[in-house]
Amino acid sequence: MVEATRPTPLAEAQAFRMKVRRGEHARHTAGQAPGMVQGNVAIMTADDAADFLRFCLRNPKSCPLIGMSEPGDPRLPELGDIDIRTDVPAYRVFEHGELVAEPTDLSNWWRKDLVAFVLGCSLSFDEALQDAGLRLRHVELDREVPMYRTSIETAPAGPFRGPMVVSMRPFLPKDAIRAIEVTSRHPRMHGAPVHFGDPGAIGIADLARPDYGQPTVVEPGEVPVFWACGVTPQAVVAASRPALCITHKPGHMLVTDRRIGDFAAF
Amino acid sequence: MVEATRPTPLAEAQAFRMKVRRGEHARHTAGQAPGMVQGNVAIMTADDAADFLRFCLRNPKSCPLIGMSEPGDPRLPELGDIDIRTDVPAYRVFEHGELVAEPTDLSNWWRKDLVAFVLGCSLSFDEALQDAGLRLRHVELDREVPMYRTSIETAPAGPFRGPMVVSMRPFLPKDAIRAIEVTSRHPRMHGAPVHFGDPGAIGIADLARPDYGQPTVVEPGEVPVFWACGVTPQAVVAASRPALCITHKPGHMLVTDRRIGDFAAF
């Protein structure tokens, strides 16, 4: 009997990215290239980039920076053979805070003064939680994770300021403890949670009405656990209304050549 | 100006243990030899020791084994230049489960078939929590930590079985998250907690009435966080009523030559 050989996770990531580059995959990236890091993308002019870099460094739980390009250079060699103009399935272009286009490549938008930032993403840490044997309600319900604006203020830098956005996963206390242990090993994918229990303590009025994503179910005996979320920088950048800003379309992430373990603090 | 030189933590531990050996310190050991591991002690006959070893291995959170002697040999070279007959400030001797003596050395009790076990202790992990900048209510109130019998059953081995005993420390959720991160690095001092929140979920009827230690105060917004506790093996051994069992007197621990960091999982 001949067994089918499965490609390595790295080979899967590279093959998937080539499909995206050729325009053959413009959908979301959940479940693609398991074991490999996926990233949030934010692209802005060099003028804004210095402030945004400082914003990331001051808010590492919301904005865990894993890669940054040189001005005008679309490559990100530390994350793989990447061309940020073509390797994300879908983009969103904002001018002065208004959404003006949703292209699938940036050939018409790239400029010599643009800088690309890649931030760790909770798709990767959901995978780490599942590898630890934890069940994720939003995955089992086949929904997006619910996300909420909070009363926790980010540390501002230049024009960038605003509330922290968090994602919520319900767990029994013993599983919440395990989830805290696991995610504390992944500081570049938002790390340990910022809160658990009473939503009102961080300014969330109603768990059933998330600001982003879809509501989930908190069963009796479970507590909601809240992690800083990559939507934070997107919301903060949008609110600062820069002349130009380009992000990935939510759920349509950059698949990198880095393993989840590469960024873990074991 | 001449500054006083402070001895190293190791030198302090050794000097302290010599005082205990000479009979010059028969009181509790809290605050002694900061940075060094203190241990719970359980001594029993070789007949019972095999079952107890298995019990420790099956219940690593309650019974984190850090040292074990050869039968009849009172030394524990892996923990320092230790003579277990003289180096604990006060002992308790149980015959068939009954407390029969509280000697300060074991010269009248030591036998050629005795085996000594040393288990990690929460005094050491309280120090790790404080080093991480966390405030401990029971320390600030100058009380013993409150401890409770739970409805969580230990995994039995031979005659050893019974409920897990837990210690409780109240924290705001953000500090509880940090405390979970810190203690998860110390698997040989009980590790991460076993529960937080609703005491009834683990069979604790009233936080104000601990089974051991002293009650503490849970402030509004705080949650009680529960760790497996070294009283578990003592309660389990007492309940199994072996012909002979010797433990340290509560709070009167063995001070070892090992640093807290030696046992950490960083």
Side-chain angles (χ1 to χ4, degrees):
Chain A
M1 215 173 87
V2 179
E3 283 191 58
T5 55
R6 190 181 163 91
T8 65
L10 175 60
E12 277 195 39
Q14 292 173 329
F16 175 77
R17 214 167 48 241
M18 288 308 111
K19 279 177 67 176
V20 173
R21 190 176 293 183
R22 292 193 301 264
E24 295 165 13
H25 182 110
R27 300 184 311 284
H28 73 74
T29 56
Q32 297 295 340
M36 306 303 285
V37 171
Q38 301 197 17
N40 295 293
V41 176
I43 300 170
M44 60 198 78
T45 66
D47 277 354
D48 291 320
D51 285 329
F52 188 69
L53 176 57
R54 207 152 46 88
F55 183 79
C56 290
L57 297 177
R58 298 189 74 183
N59 297 282
K61 283 205 162 181
S62 307
C63 307
L65 196 59
I66 59 172
M68 182 182 173
S69 76
E70 295 295 318
D73 186 344
R75 296 173 304 162
L76 287 148
E78 71 269 42
L79 298 179
D81 172 29
I82 286 164
D83 185 327
I84 201 67
R85 298 171 300 186
T86 53
D87 290 1
V88 174
Y91 302 84
R92 284 189 165 170
V93 181
F94 297 86
E95 287 179 341
H96 302 286
E98 300 299 321
L99 177 66
V100 297
E102 280 201 359
T104 57
D105 76 75
L106 297 181
S107 30
N108 294 330
W109 296 95
W110 189 255
R111 297 175 6 186
K112 273 197 264 184
D113 63 343
L114 292 183
V115 176
F117 293 87
V118 183
L119 309 175
C121 136
S122 61
L123 277 183
S124 305
F125 100 29
D126 277 352
E127 208 178 311
L129 290 169
Q130 290 173 297
D131 286 347
L134 293 166
R135 295 171 60 174
L136 297 174
R137 182 70 36 76
H138 69 279
V139 172
E140 297 192 342
L141 294 176
D142 196 22
R143 294 188 191 164
E144 283 182 75
V145 74
M147 293 165 272
Y148 306 86
R149 276 190 295 272
T150 69
S151 56
I152 305 170
E153 279 296 312
T154 58
F160 302 116
R161 67 187 60 237
M164 180 188 287
V165 178
V166 296
S167 60
M168 187 279 279
R169 292 158 189 78
F171 288 108
L172 293 171
K174 73 178 175 55
D175 293 332
I177 290 164
R178 187 73 186 130
I180 293 168
E181 290 192 287
V182 171
T183 54
S184 76
R185 266 67 168 169
H186 296 283
R188 305 241 281 195
M189 298 165 200
H190 307 303
V194 296
H195 182 61
F196 63 74
D198 178 19
I202 56 170
I204 298 171
D206 184 357
L207 283 184
R209 301 181 60 178
D211 295 299
Y212 312 89
Q214 296 173 289
T216 187
V217 183
V218 182
E219 301 282 359
E222 294 181 337
V223 292
V225 186
F226 301 93
W227 277 267
C229 170
V231 168
T232 308
Q234 297 213 13
V236 159
V237 169
S240 77
R241 305 182 160 273
L244 177 65
C245 170
I246 303 171
T247 70
H248 65 286
K249 184 174 170 180
H252 298 58
M253 319 304 281
L254 174 68
V255 171
T256 76
D257 286 356
R258 300 296 298 273
R259 286 179 307 238
I260 291 173
D262 288 349
F263 290 114
F266 286 118
Chain B
M1 217 172 87
V2 179
E3 283 190 57
T5 54
R6 188 180 165 91
T8 65
L10 174 61
E12 278 195 37
Q14 292 174 329
F16 175 75
R17 213 167 48 242
M18 288 307 111
K19 279 178 66 176
V20 173
R21 190 176 293 184
R22 292 192 302 265
E24 295 166 13
H25 182 109
R27 300 183 311 284
H28 73 75
T29 55
Q32 297 293 342
M36 306 302 285
V37 170
Q38 301 196 18
N40 295 293
V41 176
I43 300 170
M44 58 198 79
T45 66
D47 278 352
D48 290 319
D51 284 329
F52 188 69
L53 175 58
R54 209 153 44 89
F55 183 79
C56 290
L57 297 178
R58 298 190 72 183
N59 297 283
K61 282 206 162 183
S62 306
C63 308
L65 196 59
I66 59 173
M68 182 182 175
S69 76
E70 295 295 318
D73 185 346
R75 296 173 304 163
L76 287 149
E78 71 270 41
L79 298 178
D81 171 30
I82 287 164
D83 185 326
I84 201 66
R85 298 170 301 186
T86 54
D87 291 1
V88 174
Y91 303 82
R92 284 189 165 170
V93 180
F94 297 86
E95 286 178 343
H96 302 286
E98 300 298 322
L99 178 65
V100 297
E102 279 200 3
T104 57
D105 76 75
L106 297 182
S107 30
N108 294 332
W109 296 95
W110 190 255
R111 296 176 3 187
K112 273 196 266 186
D113 64 342
L114 292 184
V115 176
F117 294 87
V118 182
L119 308 176
C121 135
S122 61
L123 276 184
S124 304
F125 100 30
D126 277 354
E127 211 179 309
L129 289 170
Q130 291 173 297
D131 285 347
L134 294 167
R135 296 170 61 175
L136 297 175
R137 182 71 35 76
H138 69 278
V139 172
E140 297 191 342
L141 294 175
D142 197 21
R143 295 190 190 162
E144 281 181 77
V145 74
M147 293 165 273
Y148 306 87
R149 276 189 295 272
T150 69
S151 55
I152 304 170
E153 279 297 311
T154 58
F160 302 115
R161 66 187 61 236
M164 179 187 288
V165 178
V166 296
S167 61
M168 188 279 282
R169 292 159 188 77
F171 289 108
L172 293 172
K174 73 179 175 60
D175 293 333
I177 290 165
R178 187 75 185 129
I180 293 169
E181 290 193 286
V182 170
T183 54
S184 76
R185 265 68 170 170
H186 297 284
R188 306 243 281 197
M189 298 163 197
H190 307 303
V194 295
H195 182 61
F196 63 74
D198 177 19
I202 56 169
I204 299 172
D206 185 357
L207 283 184
R209 302 181 60 178
D211 295 300
Y212 311 89
Q214 296 173 290
T216 186
V217 183
V218 182
E219 301 282 0
E222 293 181 338
V223 290
V225 186
F226 301 92
W227 277 267
C229 170
V231 168
T232 307
Q234 297 212 12
V236 159
V237 169
S240 76
R241 306 183 161 273
L244 177 65
C245 169
I246 303 171
T247 70
H248 65 285
K249 184 173 169 181
H252 297 58
M253 320 305 281
L254 174 69
V255 171
T256 76
D257 286 356
R258 299 297 297 273
R259 286 180 307 239
I260 290 173
D262 288 349
F263 290 114
F266 286 117

